[in-house]
Amino acid sequence: MHLFYQPGVDSPGVNSSDPVEFLSEDDSRHAVKTLRLGIGELIAVTDGHGNQYTAVITKADARRCTFRITSTKTTLPRPFSVRICVAPTKNLDRIEWFVEKAVEVGIERISFFFGQHSERRVLKLERLEKIAIAAMKQSLQSFLPILDEALSVGELLKTIQEEQRFIAHLPSVDSPGVDLPVHLAKAASIAGQYAVLIGPEGDFAEKEIQQAVAAGFQMVTLGPNRLRTETAALTACQFLNFINA
Amino acid sequence: MHLFYQPGVDSPGVNSSDPVEFLSEDDSRHAVKTLRLGIGELIAVTDGHGNQYTAVITKADARRCTFRITSTKTTLPRPFSVRICVAPTKNLDRIEWFVEKAVEVGIERISFFFGQHSERRVLKLERLEKIAIAAMKQSLQSFLPILDEALSVGELLKTIQEEQRFIAHLPSVDSPGVDLPVHLAKAASIAGQYAVLIGPEGDFAEKEIQQAVAAGFQMVTLGPNRLRTETAALTACQFLNFINA
């Protein structure tokens, strides 16, 4: 059964003017034209807030496919939350890839920031939001993670509510002997609200690290290898999901 | 200091005809033309077998940059090994991405196979090997993982020497109530030699699952979400790296 996304589903506040449930234009086209679904066929629809509905198509209209809900399944949020704060990569593919994969494996929030050493200074969320929605559907989840517009490190730090705060700082390449900071997976305690800062390709500026530490961020490592920005960001998700598995 | 790859470095067997150490043509061009490195400058060179050499450039030739080794550092293999057996994705980008990321986070061997439901029937290793080398250099590692030509599931199973064998099988989408197989991270014991089978986009054929189980593969899950082939493959690496961290 195919999963569709309709944030307004079964929400009188949103659809009150129109009690009939319907798919977005994109999803209507996908359902009717691509999947050739017809009247009476079953679909699944999520509102992206934990509710997943089983529904039957009542009008197979490629611009406005309507449906009637037959059952509801509500998923509770995870007993922990992962917020990754990451600097967009110079190559957009890499950050798009991170968003797709992070949503697949499970994440609550992605907050972007421009660091002093960031090569990329512009980031449009629209395409990333489409990627997040597609990944949510593809992995059959009922929660759509929040994507935040890019801020400066200083502005970003003001928005951090999570109590467990970590900053992934690269071990220096040319000093193999030096002690690494503690591993994220050891530093984090389970069932927490986590915020992890992942630096840009040019790494954090010393001042940014000091700002983060002053804001209660603990320096952690993600392992012995030097990871690309998007790999480090996904690895942080995986480790936090893992300790809570 | 930049890391280069020269499988024949410091191996009389390979370079006996020419005792002078030199970088490959690609690396020579990169060192001399792109990085503008000159005589007397320090570079790092790995043989991909655990040895990393610090060396000084003796001839800054863009086609054949020569160097003299000044020190050697030998890294031991990890006390465990991860071999992922995966069906190439229809979209090559996805499997190329997996190879890059798996090498970055750490993997010993990637074996490809064509499943009964595989949409892709051809796979050229050359480009994937280049990606693996680039990722090894980028993550500053001294071991180049093995990439195996794609085989059928039957042929692949004959090549499995690893004692801990797992097959990631998707929980059925439409039976949320059903018990999941045990999680890979719980099924695997530490310090092992692992082989994990990851199915194609169309999943394994029933017969292939039976073949694998008959060959000693234990069915495992990678979590509640339905993961794409390449995401599942990387997640398996991450979990096995994690339990051994």
Side-chain angles (χ1 to χ4, degrees):
Chain A
M1 191 159 52
H2 287 273
L3 178 61
F4 297 92
Y5 172 59
Q6 171 51 281
V9 65
D10 199 32
S11 317
V14 182
N15 279 4
S16 53
S17 62
D18 182 352
V20 179
E21 303 287 356
F22 57 90
L23 297 178
S24 69
E25 194 161 342
D26 283 359
D27 275 2
S28 293
R29 193 182 320 108
H30 185 62
V32 176
K33 286 255 186 275
T34 312
L35 302 173
R36 302 180 167 282
L37 297 176
I39 291 178
E41 290 194 81
L42 286 180
I43 57 174
V45 183
T46 180
D47 60 3
H49 299 294
N51 299 306
Q52 198 168 126
Y53 306 88
T54 304
V56 56
I57 293 177
T58 50
K59 186 145 157 278
D61 181 329
R63 285 178 316 287
R64 190 168 177 283
C65 177
T66 65
F67 58 87
R68 179 174 41 78
I69 293 169
T70 59
S71 72
T72 304
K73 186 180 94 201
T74 300
T75 308
L76 294 175
R78 305 194 295 181
F80 64 100
S81 71
V82 177
R83 178 181 182 181
I84 300 292
C85 308
V86 62
T89 48
K90 183 180 179 187
N91 172 346
L92 261 187
D93 290 354
R94 295 187 171 278
I95 207 69
E96 290 176 356
W97 162 81
F98 162 68
V99 169
E100 175 181 297
K101 296 316 175 195
V103 173
E104 272 187 73
V105 301
I107 190 169
E108 277 66 28
R109 186 170 181 178
I110 301 173
S111 304
F112 297 102
F113 69 90
F114 297 129
Q116 201 174 308
H117 298 164
S118 288
E119 298 199 53
R120 169 170 294 280
R121 291 283 162 196
V122 183
L123 183 72
K124 294 207 177 64
L125 285 193
E126 191 184 353
R127 184 173 154 78
L128 293 174
E129 278 158 353
K130 283 196 163 76
I131 288 168
I133 289 167
M136 171 188 68
K137 292 177 184 173
Q138 201 279 336
S139 54
L140 305 177
Q141 297 181 83
S142 302
F143 285 97
L144 182 66
I146 298 164
L147 300 189
D148 295 313
E149 292 284 354
L151 302 171
S152 70
V153 171
E155 294 166 323
L156 172 68
L157 291 174
K158 294 192 199 120
T159 72
I160 302 294
Q161 302 295 327
E162 291 77 6
E163 82 280 3
Q164 291 195 49
R165 307 173 182 189
F166 306 101
I167 177 169
H169 187 48
L170 297 175
S172 169
V173 172
D174 295 329
S175 50
V178 78
D179 283 2
L180 296 179
V182 60
H183 195 291
L184 170 63
K186 307 264 187 290
S189 53
I190 67 167
Q193 313 296 306
Y194 314 102
V196 184
L197 274 173
I198 304 290
E201 283 136 326
D203 203 358
F204 291 105
E206 195 50 45
K207 177 168 159 297
E208 293 169 334
I209 294 170
Q210 288 162 5
Q211 282 179 292
V213 170
F217 280 77
Q218 176 185 357
M219 234 179 272
V220 293
T221 176
L222 299 170
N225 298 348
R226 180 175 71 173
L227 303 178
R228 288 181 177 277
T229 293
E230 74 280 7
T231 317
L234 183 67
T235 299
C237 292
Q238 300 264 43
F239 282 142
L240 292 170
N241 289 344
F242 182 94
I243 63 171
N244 286 283
Chain B
M1 192 159 48
H2 287 273
L3 178 62
F4 297 92
Y5 172 59
Q6 171 51 279
V9 66
D10 199 34
S11 316
V14 182
N15 279 2
S16 52
S17 60
D18 180 354
V20 179
E21 303 287 356
F22 57 90
L23 296 177
S24 68
E25 194 163 342
D26 283 358
D27 274 4
S28 293
R29 193 182 316 107
H30 184 62
V32 177
K33 284 255 185 279
T34 311
L35 302 172
R36 303 180 165 286
L37 297 176
I39 291 178
E41 290 195 80
L42 287 179
I43 57 174
V45 183
T46 179
D47 61 2
H49 299 295
N51 299 306
Q52 198 167 128
Y53 305 88
T54 302
V56 57
I57 293 177
T58 50
K59 186 145 157 277
D61 181 328
R63 287 178 316 287
R64 191 167 177 283
C65 177
T66 64
F67 59 87
R68 178 172 43 76
I69 293 169
T70 59
S71 72
T72 304
K73 186 180 95 199
T74 299
T75 308
L76 293 175
R78 306 194 294 181
F80 62 100
S81 70
V82 176
R83 179 181 182 182
I84 299 293
C85 308
V86 60
T89 48
K90 182 180 180 187
N91 173 348
L92 260 187
D93 290 353
R94 295 186 171 276
I95 207 69
E96 289 176 358
W97 164 81
F98 163 68
V99 169
E100 175 181 298
K101 296 316 173 195
V103 173
E104 273 187 72
V105 301
I107 190 167
E108 277 67 29
R109 187 170 181 178
I110 301 173
S111 304
F112 297 103
F113 68 90
F114 297 128
Q116 200 174 310
H117 298 164
S118 288
E119 297 198 55
R120 168 170 295 279
R121 291 282 161 196
V122 183
L123 183 71
K124 294 204 178 63
L125 285 192
E126 192 185 352
R127 186 174 152 78
L128 294 174
E129 277 157 354
K130 283 196 163 78
I131 289 168
I133 290 167
M136 172 189 68
K137 293 176 184 173
Q138 201 277 336
S139 53
L140 305 176
Q141 297 181 81
S142 302
F143 285 98
L144 183 64
I146 299 164
L147 301 190
D148 296 314
E149 291 283 354
L151 302 171
S152 71
V153 171
E155 293 165 324
L156 172 69
L157 291 174
K158 294 191 198 119
T159 71
I160 302 294
Q161 302 295 327
E162 292 77 6
E163 81 281 2
Q164 291 196 49
R165 309 175 181 188
F166 307 101
I167 177 169
H169 187 48
L170 297 175
S172 168
V173 172
D174 294 331
S175 50
V178 78
D179 283 2
L180 296 179
V182 60
H183 194 291
L184 170 63
K186 308 262 188 288
S189 53
I190 67 167
Q193 313 297 306
Y194 314 102
V196 185
L197 274 173
I198 304 290
E201 284 137 324
D203 204 359
F204 291 106
E206 194 51 45
K207 176 167 161 300
E208 294 168 333
I209 294 171
Q210 289 162 4
Q211 282 178 291
V213 170
F217 280 77
Q218 176 184 358
M219 233 179 272
V220 292
T221 175
L222 299 171
N225 299 348
R226 179 175 72 174
L227 303 179
R228 288 180 178 277
T229 293
E230 73 281 6
T231 317
L234 183 67
T235 299
C237 294
Q238 300 263 42
F239 282 142
L240 292 170
N241 289 344
F242 182 93
I243 64 171
N244 286 283

Short mmCIF file of all heavy atoms in Angstrom, two decimals, chain A residues 163-167 181-190 192 194-196 217-222 239-240 243, chain B residues 242:
data_model
loop_
_atom_site.label_atom_id
_atom_site.label_comp_id
_atom_site.label_asym_id
_atom_site.label_seq_id
_atom_site.Cartn_x
_atom_site.Cartn_y
_atom_site.Cartn_z
N GLU A 163 18.98 19.36 25.91
CA GLU A 163 19.86 19.40 27.09
C GLU A 163 21.19 18.68 26.86
O GLU A 163 22.18 18.97 27.52
CB GLU A 163 19.14 18.86 28.33
CG GLU A 163 19.11 17.34 28.47
CD GLU A 163 18.03 16.69 27.61
OE1 GLU A 163 17.34 17.41 26.85
OE2 GLU A 163 17.90 15.47 27.71
N GLN A 164 21.20 17.73 25.92
CA GLN A 164 22.47 17.05 25.63
C GLN A 164 23.07 17.64 24.36
O GLN A 164 22.53 17.47 23.28
CB GLN A 164 22.26 15.54 25.50
CG GLN A 164 21.89 14.87 26.82
CD GLN A 164 22.04 13.35 26.75
OE1 GLN A 164 23.06 12.82 26.32
NE2 GLN A 164 21.00 12.65 27.18
N ARG A 165 24.19 18.36 24.54
CA ARG A 165 24.76 19.15 23.44
C ARG A 165 26.18 18.72 23.14
O ARG A 165 27.03 18.67 24.02
CB ARG A 165 24.74 20.63 23.83
CG ARG A 165 23.37 21.10 24.27
CD ARG A 165 23.37 22.52 24.81
NE ARG A 165 22.02 22.87 25.26
CZ ARG A 165 21.65 24.09 25.61
NH1 ARG A 165 22.53 25.09 25.58
NH2 ARG A 165 20.41 24.33 26.00
N PHE A 166 26.42 18.42 21.86
CA PHE A 166 27.73 17.92 21.46
C PHE A 166 28.21 18.64 20.21
O PHE A 166 27.43 19.00 19.34
CB PHE A 166 27.66 16.42 21.17
CG PHE A 166 27.08 15.63 22.32
CD1 PHE A 166 25.77 15.19 22.28
CD2 PHE A 166 27.85 15.36 23.44
CE1 PHE A 166 25.22 14.49 23.36
CE2 PHE A 166 27.32 14.64 24.51
CZ PHE A 166 26.00 14.22 24.47
N ILE A 167 29.51 18.84 20.17
CA ILE A 167 30.12 19.40 18.97
C ILE A 167 31.19 18.43 18.48
O ILE A 167 32.08 18.05 19.23
CB ILE A 167 30.70 20.82 19.22
CG1 ILE A 167 31.41 21.35 17.96
CG2 ILE A 167 31.62 20.85 20.44
CD1 ILE A 167 31.75 22.83 18.05
N PRO A 181 38.92 13.50 21.83
CA PRO A 181 37.82 13.72 22.77
C PRO A 181 37.02 12.43 22.89
O PRO A 181 37.19 11.52 22.09
CB PRO A 181 37.00 14.83 22.10
CG PRO A 181 37.73 15.27 20.89
CD PRO A 181 38.84 14.33 20.62
N VAL A 182 36.15 12.37 23.91
CA VAL A 182 35.36 11.16 24.11
C VAL A 182 34.44 10.93 22.90
O VAL A 182 34.03 11.88 22.22
CB VAL A 182 34.54 11.26 25.43
CG1 VAL A 182 33.60 12.44 25.38
CG2 VAL A 182 33.80 9.98 25.70
N HIS A 183 34.13 9.68 22.62
CA HIS A 183 33.26 9.33 21.50
C HIS A 183 31.82 9.73 21.81
O HIS A 183 31.34 9.55 22.93
CB HIS A 183 33.34 7.82 21.24
CG HIS A 183 32.78 7.43 19.91
ND1 HIS A 183 31.44 7.49 19.62
CD2 HIS A 183 33.40 6.99 18.78
CE1 HIS A 183 31.24 7.09 18.38
NE2 HIS A 183 32.41 6.78 17.85
N LEU A 184 31.14 10.26 20.80
CA LEU A 184 29.74 10.69 20.97
C LEU A 184 28.90 9.59 21.62
O LEU A 184 28.10 9.86 22.53
CB LEU A 184 29.13 11.06 19.61
CG LEU A 184 27.62 11.29 19.58
CD1 LEU A 184 27.22 12.47 20.47
CD2 LEU A 184 27.14 11.51 18.15
N ALA A 185 29.10 8.35 21.15
CA ALA A 185 28.28 7.25 21.64
C ALA A 185 28.51 6.98 23.13
O ALA A 185 27.66 6.44 23.82
CB ALA A 185 28.54 5.99 20.83
N LYS A 186 29.69 7.38 23.63
CA LYS A 186 29.98 7.20 25.06
C LYS A 186 29.52 8.43 25.84
O LYS A 186 29.10 8.33 26.99
CB LYS A 186 31.48 6.98 25.28
CG LYS A 186 32.08 5.86 24.42
CD LYS A 186 32.17 4.55 25.16
CE LYS A 186 32.94 3.50 24.34
NZ LYS A 186 32.20 3.03 23.15
N ALA A 187 29.61 9.58 25.22
CA ALA A 187 29.28 10.83 25.90
C ALA A 187 27.77 11.02 26.08
O ALA A 187 27.32 11.57 27.09
CB ALA A 187 29.85 12.02 25.13
N ALA A 188 27.01 10.51 25.13
CA ALA A 188 25.55 10.71 25.17
C ALA A 188 24.90 9.69 26.08
O ALA A 188 25.31 8.53 26.10
CB ALA A 188 24.97 10.59 23.77
N SER A 189 23.92 10.11 26.88
CA SER A 189 23.16 9.16 27.69
C SER A 189 21.80 8.95 27.02
O SER A 189 21.30 9.84 26.33
CB SER A 189 23.00 9.67 29.12
OG SER A 189 22.46 10.96 29.12
N ILE A 190 21.25 7.75 27.22
CA ILE A 190 20.07 7.37 26.43
C ILE A 190 18.83 8.18 26.80
O ILE A 190 18.79 8.84 27.82
CB ILE A 190 19.77 5.86 26.55
CG1 ILE A 190 19.34 5.50 27.97
CG2 ILE A 190 20.99 5.03 26.14
CD1 ILE A 190 18.73 4.11 28.05
N GLY A 192 17.63 10.86 25.62
CA GLY A 192 17.81 12.30 25.76
C GLY A 192 17.30 13.08 24.57
O GLY A 192 16.87 12.51 23.56
N TYR A 194 18.94 15.39 22.01
CA TYR A 194 20.31 15.64 21.60
C TYR A 194 20.40 16.74 20.54
O TYR A 194 19.57 16.80 19.63
CB TYR A 194 20.95 14.39 21.00
CG TYR A 194 20.73 13.12 21.79
CD1 TYR A 194 19.77 12.20 21.39
CD2 TYR A 194 21.47 12.84 22.94
CE1 TYR A 194 19.56 11.02 22.09
CE2 TYR A 194 21.26 11.67 23.65
CZ TYR A 194 20.30 10.76 23.23
OH TYR A 194 20.09 9.60 23.93
N ALA A 195 21.42 17.56 20.68
CA ALA A 195 21.77 18.49 19.61
C ALA A 195 23.25 18.28 19.31
O ALA A 195 24.08 18.27 20.23
CB ALA A 195 21.52 19.93 20.04
N VAL A 196 23.56 18.04 18.04
CA VAL A 196 24.95 17.81 17.65
C VAL A 196 25.35 18.81 16.57
O VAL A 196 24.65 18.96 15.56
CB VAL A 196 25.15 16.38 17.10
CG1 VAL A 196 26.63 16.13 16.80
CG2 VAL A 196 24.63 15.34 18.09
N PHE A 217 28.13 22.99 24.92
CA PHE A 217 28.40 21.88 24.00
C PHE A 217 29.68 21.17 24.39
O PHE A 217 30.71 21.82 24.62
CB PHE A 217 28.50 22.38 22.55
CG PHE A 217 27.16 22.61 21.91
CD1 PHE A 217 26.42 23.76 22.23
CD2 PHE A 217 26.62 21.68 21.04
CE1 PHE A 217 25.17 23.96 21.66
CE2 PHE A 217 25.38 21.89 20.46
CZ PHE A 217 24.65 23.03 20.78
N GLN A 218 29.58 19.83 24.48
CA GLN A 218 30.73 19.01 24.82
C GLN A 218 31.42 18.55 23.54
O GLN A 218 30.77 18.11 22.59
CB GLN A 218 30.27 17.79 25.63
CG GLN A 218 31.39 16.82 25.97
CD GLN A 218 30.86 15.57 26.68
OE1 GLN A 218 29.66 15.46 26.97
NE2 GLN A 218 31.76 14.63 26.96
N MET A 219 32.75 18.64 23.51
CA MET A 219 33.49 18.21 22.33
C MET A 219 33.52 16.69 22.29
O MET A 219 33.80 16.05 23.30
CB MET A 219 34.92 18.76 22.37
CG MET A 219 35.28 19.51 21.12
SD MET A 219 36.94 20.17 21.22
CE MET A 219 36.64 21.74 21.99
N VAL A 220 33.16 16.12 21.14
CA VAL A 220 33.16 14.67 20.98
C VAL A 220 33.81 14.30 19.65
O VAL A 220 33.95 15.13 18.76
CB VAL A 220 31.73 14.08 21.00
CG1 VAL A 220 31.08 14.23 22.37
CG2 VAL A 220 30.87 14.72 19.91
N THR A 221 34.19 13.02 19.56
CA THR A 221 34.69 12.50 18.29
C THR A 221 33.67 11.49 17.76
O THR A 221 32.87 10.94 18.51
CB THR A 221 36.06 11.83 18.45
OG1 THR A 221 36.44 11.25 17.20
CG2 THR A 221 36.00 10.72 19.50
N LEU A 222 33.72 11.25 16.46
CA LEU A 222 32.85 10.24 15.84
C LEU A 222 33.67 9.04 15.40
O LEU A 222 33.17 8.17 14.68
CB LEU A 222 32.11 10.86 14.65
CG LEU A 222 31.19 12.04 15.00
CD1 LEU A 222 30.69 12.73 13.74
CD2 LEU A 222 30.03 11.57 15.86
N PHE A 239 24.73 6.84 15.47
CA PHE A 239 25.21 6.51 16.81
C PHE A 239 24.13 6.80 17.85
O PHE A 239 23.89 6.00 18.75
CB PHE A 239 26.48 7.28 17.15
CG PHE A 239 27.72 6.69 16.52
CD1 PHE A 239 28.72 7.52 16.02
CD2 PHE A 239 27.91 5.32 16.44
CE1 PHE A 239 29.87 6.99 15.45
CE2 PHE A 239 29.06 4.78 15.86
CZ PHE A 239 30.04 5.62 15.37
N LEU A 240 23.46 7.94 17.73
CA LEU A 240 22.43 8.29 18.71
C LEU A 240 21.22 7.36 18.57
O LEU A 240 20.63 6.94 19.57
CB LEU A 240 22.03 9.76 18.54
CG LEU A 240 23.15 10.74 18.93
CD1 LEU A 240 22.79 12.16 18.53
CD2 LEU A 240 23.46 10.65 20.42
N ILE A 243 22.41 3.96 20.28
CA ILE A 243 22.43 3.80 21.75
C ILE A 243 21.02 3.77 22.31
O ILE A 243 20.80 3.30 23.43
CB ILE A 243 23.25 4.92 22.45
CG1 ILE A 243 22.62 6.29 22.23
CG2 ILE A 243 24.69 4.90 22.00
CD1 ILE A 243 23.26 7.39 23.08
N PHE B 242 30.06 0.12 15.27
CA PHE B 242 29.68 0.64 16.58
C PHE B 242 29.87 -0.40 17.68
O PHE B 242 30.46 -0.08 18.73
CB PHE B 242 28.22 1.09 16.56
CG PHE B 242 27.80 1.68 17.88
CD1 PHE B 242 27.89 3.05 18.11
CD2 PHE B 242 27.34 0.87 18.91
CE1 PHE B 242 27.53 3.58 19.33
CE2 PHE B 242 26.98 1.40 20.14
CZ PHE B 242 27.08 2.76 20.34
#
